[in-house]
Amino acid sequence: MTEAAARFGYQIGAVGEEGLTDRQLYREAIADAELLHRLGYDAAWMVEHHFSDYYPQPNPLLFLSHLAAACPGLGLGTAVMVLPWYDPVRFAEDVAMLQTLAQGPLHIGMGRGTAKSEYDAFGIGMETARDRFRETWEFTRAALAGGPVTFAGQHVHWPRPTTLRPAPEGARPSFYGAIGSPESAAIMAELGLPPLCLSSFPDKLLRRILETWTARTAALGGSPAVTRPISVKCFVARTDEEARAQALEHLPRFFALQVEHYQSDHAPWGDIPGYQQFNRMFANLRQLSDPANLDGYIAQNLVGSPETVARRVREILDLGFNYLVVSNATYGVPRAVRHGTIRLFAEEVMPRVQAMRPAA
């Protein structure tokens, strides 16, 4: 079977040089999206976070609705919307509105969230996250199918048959479930959601996640022929040395902000059902804020010249992914550095990747 051509998006964010106001940071994200549009990227993606410098963008769907007008035809994506924080009806309506406004492909990545501080701020118990995620997704899926919908769950109650407006038209959004372990891969397969992964995991674990998802999907009679995106940090420059210098300058602050945002030094997840593994997964996060400890992370992601980055992209595609969401839009990264990567990736990395043959 012929391999489908890989697609590439870029994760924008409210980021830029230190000292910019939030309004200015939002203008930076719009400028990045406009460049993606001109260079032919599939989509601009955005993450959801609240109350901190770690991506101060609490409503990706609202931001993307602006981009639908500013960059008509550009695909739009979320990575991710944290479903347990949403009223399911409003979430389904917001997606329907964006689907109505967007002229390009729409990618809705969804997850259950990891930051206990955000859950506490919203007054939602993390122990309910998996059930809330499932019910919100099941309601959204039913509502976007058209026609009257009712729902009776533990957290979602919608007894009166009601039809969603605006009525969904055109291409259906592609929905994905964020996956960080083989266990969650099986859960997303059971929910009918393709996987959305992070490249911070070792290749062998990423391969096992996809294998688990594929096997469970097949067992349920589903098709594995879906878009399988992975989010990857990316710094591209003319030489490996220059790209590595950029990564070593900016990634430590990125990880320091994660430590603050997730409160990982204090292992806040304790024995919360469904979150115990995060105490282990985040245990070494502080170490990555030291440039001396970044060699493994840099090798796992996309850092180097166009030739080096293209080879690593090919390795990631050979794991079974077919869509890369690349980004160097992190706190403090100036526009010149972001746009340098965006341009080199589009103009020199993408053509090299498309010319490479898959591994035997």
Side-chain angles (χ1 to χ4, degrees):
M1 183 174 63
T2 303
E3 181 190 60
R7 290 184 289 161
F8 301 98
Y10 181 92
Q11 179 187 300
I12 63 173
V15 302
E17 298 179 57
E18 292 193 46
L20 297 182
T21 66
D22 286 347
R23 177 185 289 271
Q24 291 171 320
L25 293 176
Y26 275 43
R27 297 300 182 271
E28 291 294 305
I30 293 168
D32 289 357
E34 290 171 341
L35 180 58
L36 302 178
H37 193 204
R38 293 195 297 271
L39 292 175
Y41 279 78
D42 177 77
W45 294 60
M46 178 169 265
V47 304
E48 173 184 358
H49 283 297
H50 301 257
F51 318 121
S52 77
D53 286 335
Y54 185 61
Y55 297 114
Q57 44 207 47
N59 193 332
L61 295 180
L62 180 60
F63 195 99
L64 295 178
S65 69
H66 175 84
L67 293 187
C71 305
L74 177 65
L76 307 169
T78 65
V80 295
M81 302 298 295
V82 184
L83 292 198
W85 301 340
Y86 285 88
D87 175 273
V89 179
R90 292 304 303 267
F91 178 76
E93 288 180 324
D94 288 350
V95 172
M97 284 189 68
L98 184 56
Q99 179 181 352
T100 302
L101 294 170
Q103 298 180 38
L106 189 56
H107 305 273
I108 305 296
M110 304 173 296
R112 57 192 175 102
T114 308
K116 189 174 185 300
S117 61
E118 291 173 305
Y119 268 92
D120 290 346
F122 287 119
I124 296 172
M126 292 188 84
E127 70 279 1
T128 68
R130 276 197 169 139
D131 287 339
R132 289 180 185 274
F133 177 94
R134 176 181 54 80
E135 291 184 12
T136 301
W137 160 238
E138 289 177 347
F139 178 89
T140 298
R141 177 170 54 185
L144 291 176
V149 60
T150 61
F151 196 92
Q154 183 178 357
H155 304 283
V156 180
H157 308 282
W158 195 254
R160 180 181 177 181
T162 305
T163 300
L164 199 69
R165 298 292 298 273
E169 288 186 49
R172 181 180 182 272
S174 296
F175 290 93
Y176 313 94
I179 292 177
S181 69
E183 177 192 16
S184 57
I187 291 172
M188 293 304 175
E190 290 164 3
L191 291 173
L193 285 169
L196 169 60
C197 295
L198 291 172
S199 67
S200 50
F201 299 111
D203 283 7
K204 63 181 180 181
L205 178 57
L206 290 171
R207 188 184 297 277
R208 187 150 62 93
I209 285 172
L210 288 185
E211 289 172 348
T212 300
W213 181 87
T214 300
R216 187 63 183 141
T217 296
L220 294 169
S223 171
V226 296
T227 300
R228 296 179 298 279
I230 182 170
S231 179
V232 195
K233 284 291 173 281
C234 181
F235 290 85
V236 190
R238 286 297 173 192
T239 66
D240 289 348
E241 292 76 17
E242 183 183 357
R244 179 179 174 83
Q246 291 177 2
L248 292 175
E249 178 181 357
H250 297 293
L251 286 177
R253 180 58 176 151
F254 169 69
F255 285 111
L257 280 174
Q258 286 194 49
V259 171
E260 295 172 16
H261 184 76
Y262 294 109
Q263 303 171 321
S264 61
D265 285 347
H266 308 292
W269 302 281
D271 294 324
I272 299 172
Y275 283 94
Q276 299 96 325
Q277 72 273 21
F278 286 97
N279 293 302
R280 173 181 51 81
M281 291 169 60
F282 281 70
N284 296 322
L285 193 58
R286 170 71 68 181
Q287 296 180 20
L288 294 176
S289 63
D290 182 347
N293 298 323
L294 282 172
D295 284 351
Y297 185 85
I298 285 174
Q300 190 69 21
N301 285 267
L302 303 174
V303 179
S305 66
E307 296 85 356
T308 296
V309 168
R311 287 194 297 270
R312 177 59 185 149
V313 169
R314 186 64 260 175
E315 292 173 357
I316 294 172
L317 295 176
D318 288 339
L319 294 174
F321 297 98
N322 54 17
Y323 192 120
L324 268 68
V325 183
V326 303
S327 183
N328 63 344
T330 63
Y331 182 89
V333 178
R335 184 184 298 196
V337 173
R338 299 195 312 273
H339 285 198
T341 281
I342 291 171
R343 289 185 183 279
L344 281 174
F345 194 91
E347 296 169 355
E348 300 196 25
V349 175
M350 289 187 198
R352 283 181 168 86
V353 172
Q354 305 297 7
M356 291 178 176
R357 292 182 179 275

